[in-house]
Amino acid sequence: APCCDKLYTCRLCHDNNEDHQLDRFKVKEVQCINCEKIQHAQQTCEECSTLFGEYYCSICHLFDKDKKQYHCENCGICRIGPKEDFFHCLKCNLCLAMNLQGRHKCIENVSRQNCPICLEDIHTSRVVAHVLPCGHLLHRGYRCPLCMHSALDMTRYWRQLDDEVAQTPMPSEYQNMTVDIHCNDCNGRSTVQFHILGMKCKLCDSYNTAQAGGRRISVDQQ
């Protein structure tokens, strides 16, 4: 480690034991565990020919088993491949699966932030980030906390809520009560019947809604 002149088997071990982080790009030397020869960072020991890693990146100084890794110059780090299964979106500034090419919502530098759920850096994280329909990235969760859009296809769950709402009638004093709602999925507004289990958007059938106004009872019932 060039920052503290200590030997570690990986940068993560270093970071877990020190009060600072190792800059992987500044690593210049490695020591062979077998013959203890200190040498320039490289894939094979110059003294005893020990293979330090099936995969080695001379930029990131990553030694690892073969996982079809590749170094992305635009990302600036190594990614798990195979390379032909991914493309780099210049606007998002991130490598994405080929099946998302032309089929995702671009947000400039979307990965250069922490996951809003677990707060871990998305760009360098070893945990796979999911591209949501809204274009944001998330490690886990069912609703984007940034724009409140549903993170998954919730159609099946909305149908279950339909059944629960139908089987759970509200007390008589609430049966004709309506409320204005805002839908977090389609951004539409509508007036619907109030129900404690959820209020369904009239435009897209989503229950991912929020009350946008006060409750009111129809004139006939007042």
Side-chain angles (χ1 to χ4, degrees):
C3 45
C4 53
D5 290 328
K6 295 180 182 179
L7 291 165
Y8 281 97
T9 53
C10 75
R11 68 179 182 86
L12 300 177
C13 295
H14 170 279
D15 294 350
N16 288 334
N17 286 278
E18 302 291 342
D19 60 359
H20 59 278
Q21 293 187 332
L22 185 149
D23 186 341
R24 70 183 86 178
F25 305 106
K26 292 184 178 180
V27 171
K28 301 296 182 184
E29 294 180 313
V30 295
Q31 182 183 51
C32 177
I33 290 180
N34 290 330
C35 70
E36 299 184 348
K37 169 74 174 180
I38 294 179
Q39 56 203 280
H40 291 297
Q42 53 194 316
Q43 188 170 15
T44 305
C45 177
E46 62 186 37
E47 185 74 21
C48 67
S49 299
T50 294
L51 183 67
F52 295 148
E54 295 173 344
Y55 173 82
Y56 169 63
C57 175
S58 60
I59 300 174
C60 297
H61 300 298
L62 171 65
F63 302 86
D64 203 356
K65 294 181 179 180
D66 182 12
K67 301 173 184 174
K68 307 298 181 184
Q69 299 95 326
Y70 67 97
H71 182 87
C72 175
E73 292 185 3
N74 290 309
C75 282
I77 57 177
C78 292
R79 299 290 191 191
I80 294 179
K83 185 176 182 179
E84 57 269 20
D85 289 350
F86 296 87
F87 74 100
H88 185 91
C89 176
L90 293 175
K91 185 173 182 179
C92 294
N93 203 5
L94 178 69
C95 283
L96 299 171
M98 288 298 294
N99 61 7
L100 291 175
Q101 194 165 21
R103 299 178 58 241
H104 70 284
K105 181 179 180 179
C106 286
I107 296 180
E108 190 169 358
N109 290 323
V110 67
S111 72
R112 299 312 202 269
Q113 59 185 324
N114 293 337
C115 171
I117 299 295
C118 66
L119 303 181
E120 184 178 353
D121 176 56
I122 290 179
H123 187 69
T124 59
S125 174
R126 294 180 297 159
V127 179
V128 176
H130 300 285
V131 182
L132 308 185
C134 57
H136 294 120
L137 297 179
L138 204 66
H139 280 147
R140 57 180 179 268
Y142 68 90
R143 185 169 67 180
C144 177
L146 299 177
C147 64
M148 304 305 289
H149 279 62
S150 295
L152 307 171
D153 182 358
M154 302 291 287
T155 304
R156 186 175 180 180
Y157 180 63
W158 298 155
R159 289 173 180 169
Q160 290 178 351
L161 265 180
D162 282 341
D163 293 337
E164 292 180 23
V165 168
Q167 296 171 16
T168 312
M170 295 291 289
S172 57
E173 61 266 30
Y174 290 101
Q175 288 181 358
N176 291 283
M177 182 174 288
T178 60
V179 63
D180 296 329
I181 62 170
H182 171 263
C183 179
N184 292 317
D185 285 337
C186 72
N187 291 321
R189 291 178 178 269
S190 54
T191 301
V192 300
Q193 184 176 356
F194 172 77
H195 199 285
I196 193 65
L197 294 181
M199 290 163 287
K200 183 176 182 177
C201 174
K202 288 184 176 180
L203 303 177
C204 71
D205 295 334
S206 170
Y207 278 93
N208 182 13
T209 61
Q211 187 172 324
R215 302 169 190 169
R216 54 182 178 271
I217 300 175
S218 64
V219 176
D220 294 341
Q221 300 295 320
Q222 290 181 350

